[in-house]
Amino acid sequence: MSQAVIKMHPADNVAVVVTEGGLAAGTEVEGGVILRENIPQAHKVALKNFAQGDAVIRYNVTIGYAKDNIAAGSWVNENVLIMPNALGLENLPISTRIGTAGEPLDNFTFQGYRNADGSVGTRNILAITQTVQCVAGVVDYAVKIIREQLLPKYPNVDGVIGLSHSYGCGVAIDAPAAPIPIRTIRNISLNPNFGGEIMVISLGCEKLQPSRLMPAGSIPATVVDGPQVVCLQDEEHVGFMSMINSILRQAEFHLERLNKRTRETCPASALVVGMQCGGSDAFSGITANPALGYAADLLVRAGATVMFSENTEVRDGVDQLTARAATPQVAADIIKEMQWYDNYLAAGMVDRSANTTPGNKKGGLSNIVEKAMGSIVKSGSSPIVGVVSPGERLRDRGITRGLVYNSTPASDFICGTLQLAAGMNLHIFTTGRGTPYGLAECPVIKVATRTELARRWHDLMDVNAGRIADGEKTIEEMGWEIFHLMLDVASGKKTWAEHWKLYNSLVLFNPAPVT
């Protein structure tokens, strides 16, 4: 690290501009290199002369090849690079760099809500599941009345939400990929933050009938009384308010039971943390994601479960993942998910260059290879103990602790939805460009990669990881700070997203089948 630029590895031949506002032409940086042009903050400067075709290296990884000659001190961005080909999925290193999670961390606790199945909620929420989009307006109306008239009578209940989605009827319900959205809706209903209280609103004529959404044997025996269904087309309903009153009666039944729950001291091992990044920039892989990776290792050492995701943003580092797989079977599962993703892109006649976004590029990320390297570091260094496919529950795969790859698209909202289905009770989200992302179902901790963003969005960002680049904090110190904040939020401390009630809609992953 110098005052002006940061290299991630001694072998790197480019460095990232740290200085807020960027650096002007004529500025001297590492190794006596003189800038030949103005270079914005978070963008790369060439530390050597590149001939056409030379490898451009960051993170000790080739992130591209020079299209033409590039002089030392020049601005290196997507316009001057050729993206490398994707790694093949054959002959990858398998379980060669497993390592250990480190010494166990004992005696870390939080105040959570214990569930009958052994899971723990960080919030105590009444969730109303919908079988079909047609009932969404009715549920929204009922939720508004529940919040205004019923919730004040139940002070131990944190809130009520409708699990809205666009699925359920005008779909090929028997299509090969249909199990993914169906199990996603079902498994979100079983999220630990909902206390095992399942309330379902059905229209009556939809393809996704309640019995298909939650067939016999799919709901744990610990769910008292099983799913409680209100069908709007039942003949007992005469007029709109009759429907609403049926929903209110059922809601009150569940609210009474939820209200009996109080926070108890629970071990940190009960946390199920989903990690994600969105609106990424070049600082994501320098500050926030490495700090989150350190915190992830702390969580694993404390016996917790940690999920990282986003097929798009790990595909170019698949060799790093298979090397860290705890077993050859875990490595095979990772490869299977990456192969599915490759087939999916091919079926759509697109390639991985569609990622990065315009905002990513403005933030200094030249292509998906560079973005992937910065994304993967948030997984830390622990062994990867399992893989969860879209919409699956961790518990259904027999996973109760450790670092897990949850296979999801890179879209923030689909990723968050699928992590909720897997059993996430706490979400942490890093951003460099900024996003007001939040979830009603689970607290979301927002981490800014840069001090400028944290200052400008002071009432949206919970953590300023930019202090690492500023020289005020080490990655390790920031990792411990995030770890302790996660315990506080799990115990009930409100995040900024909760304060403002910035809640994004759930988005189901409903893919076309590929081979």
Side-chain angles (χ1 to χ4, degrees):
M1 181 183 294
S2 75
Q3 290 184 340
V5 297
I6 288 179
K7 285 172 58 176
M8 297 305 295
H9 189 277
D12 291 356
N13 51 28
V14 292
V16 170
V17 172
V18 177
T19 306
E20 191 172 319
L23 295 176
T27 302
E28 181 176 341
V29 297
E30 180 170 316
V33 172
I34 307 297
L35 298 194
R36 300 171 64 88
E37 54 192 314
N38 298 337
I39 301 181
Q41 184 187 35
H43 283 254
K44 295 177 291 296
V45 55
L47 299 179
K48 55 162 279 187
N49 293 318
F50 291 88
Q52 183 181 29
D54 281 354
V56 176
I57 299 172
R58 186 173 176 227
Y59 299 103
N60 195 30
V61 170
T62 298
I63 64 168
Y65 299 94
K67 281 185 180 177
D68 297 297
N69 296 340
I70 303 173
S74 298
W75 181 2
V76 177
N77 55 47
E78 68 275 9
N79 298 317
V80 301
L81 294 180
I82 298 172
M83 188 167 68
N85 293 327
L87 287 171
L89 295 177
E90 306 81 20
N91 303 315
L92 293 167
I94 304 297
S95 304
T96 57
R97 191 162 55 88
I98 300 175
T100 61
E103 291 296 319
L105 289 178
D106 298 320
N107 302 319
F108 285 97
T109 62
F110 68 98
Q111 298 299 304
Y113 296 96
R114 293 186 182 275
N115 297 318
D117 66 355
S119 66
V120 174
T122 62
R123 297 293 183 267
N124 190 29
I125 298 170
L126 173 61
I128 302 177
T129 301
Q130 303 170 27
T131 58
V132 65
Q133 171 67 18
C134 308
V135 305
V138 176
V139 173
D140 287 346
Y141 190 92
V143 165
K144 182 175 183 293
I145 295 178
I146 293 168
R147 286 190 183 126
E148 294 174 354
Q149 298 180 15
L150 298 186
L151 274 186
K153 301 184 335 189
Y154 302 101
N156 291 335
V157 181
D158 293 316
V160 56
I161 56 175
L163 299 178
S164 180
H165 57 84
S166 58
Y167 197 72
C169 196
V171 294
I173 201 72
D174 293 313
I180 294 176
I182 294 172
R183 73 189 180 205
T184 300
I185 299 168
R186 177 193 311 128
N187 289 337
I188 289 176
S189 305
L190 297 170
N191 187 276
N193 288 345
F194 306 151
E197 300 292 327
I198 301 181
M199 178 176 170
V200 181
I201 309 302
S202 162
L203 181 59
C205 60
E206 65 272 21
K207 291 180 180 179
L208 185 56
Q209 290 286 301
S211 59
R212 184 159 191 162
L213 175 61
M214 297 179 179
S218 68
I219 303 301
T222 51
V223 176
V224 180
D225 299 329
Q228 304 294 301
V229 179
V230 175
C231 179
L232 301 187
Q233 289 178 348
D234 280 355
E235 291 182 2
E236 68 183 80
H237 295 131
V238 179
F240 176 68
M241 288 311 300
S242 174
M243 300 175 190
I244 297 300
N245 289 333
S246 290
I247 295 172
L248 296 184
R249 283 193 300 271
Q250 193 63 59
E252 193 135 31
F253 170 77
H254 292 290
L255 288 168
E256 287 176 358
R257 299 205 299 203
L258 287 170
N259 196 56
K260 294 176 182 177
R261 292 153 53 84
T262 57
R263 291 189 180 273
E264 306 174 44
T265 300
C266 302
S269 59
L271 286 177
V272 181
V273 178
M275 303 187 302
Q276 193 184 167
C277 47
S280 301
D281 69 354
F283 274 69
S284 296
I286 295 172
T287 60
N289 288 349
L292 190 51
Y294 191 87
D297 287 344
L298 296 177
L299 287 165
V300 171
R301 289 170 59 190
T305 306
V306 181
M307 292 182 287
F308 71 108
S309 300
E310 301 169 279
N311 288 357
T312 315
E313 301 188 7
V314 300
R315 173 62 180 83
D316 277 275
V318 62
D319 55 331
Q320 299 177 36
L321 304 188
T322 56
R324 289 170 55 197
T327 67
Q329 183 57 55
V330 172
D333 290 343
I334 292 171
I335 293 169
K336 178 182 176 182
E337 296 295 342
M338 295 304 111
Q339 184 64 66
W340 188 95
Y341 169 63
D342 286 357
N343 294 345
Y344 184 70
L345 289 182
M349 295 182 288
V350 295
D351 63 39
R352 72 199 210 284
S353 66
N355 194 327
T356 54
T357 69
N360 295 152
K361 293 174 182 177
K362 190 173 182 180
L365 294 174
S366 296
N367 56 39
I368 188 55
V369 181
E370 182 179 14
K371 186 178 180 182
M373 295 306 109
S375 177
I376 287 175
V377 295
K378 67 177 177 291
S379 68
S381 60
S382 301
I384 302 170
V385 300
V387 177
V388 177
S389 294
E392 288 186 325
R393 293 177 81 209
L394 289 158
R395 286 171 169 262
D396 292 342
R397 294 295 293 265
I399 300 169
T400 57
R401 61 175 54 199
L403 180 67
V404 178
Y405 181 67
N406 184 356
S407 179
T408 79
S411 165
D412 299 343
F413 317 114
I414 302 177
C415 179
T417 299
L418 293 173
Q419 288 185 340
L420 284 168
M424 170 176 71
N425 58 17
L426 181 65
H427 201 35
I428 187 159
F429 188 105
T430 68
T431 183
R433 302 302 297 167
T435 169
Y437 171 93
L439 296 171
E441 299 79 8
C442 178
V444 179
I445 298 170
K446 302 288 282 301
V447 183
T449 71
R450 298 176 295 121
T451 294
E452 186 274 335
L453 174 63
R455 182 175 62 246
R456 185 161 45 87
W457 284 23
H458 58 92
D459 52 2
L460 288 169
M461 298 291 113
D462 301 292
V463 180
N464 175 19
R467 289 175 290 169
I468 295 171
D470 297 340
E472 298 176 9
K473 291 275 187 178
T474 65
I475 288 171
E476 293 81 4
E477 289 170 341
M478 185 60 65
W480 274 107
E481 181 177 318
I482 290 171
F483 175 76
H484 285 294
L485 177 60
M486 285 192 281
L487 294 175
D488 289 342
V489 170
S491 299
K493 180 177 180 178
K494 292 291 189 291
T495 65
W496 276 116
E498 289 180 287
H499 173 81
W500 298 117
K501 294 181 172 54
L502 299 176
Y503 301 143
N504 290 96
S505 298
L506 302 180
V507 180
L508 295 179
F509 184 41
N510 185 19
V514 295
T515 58

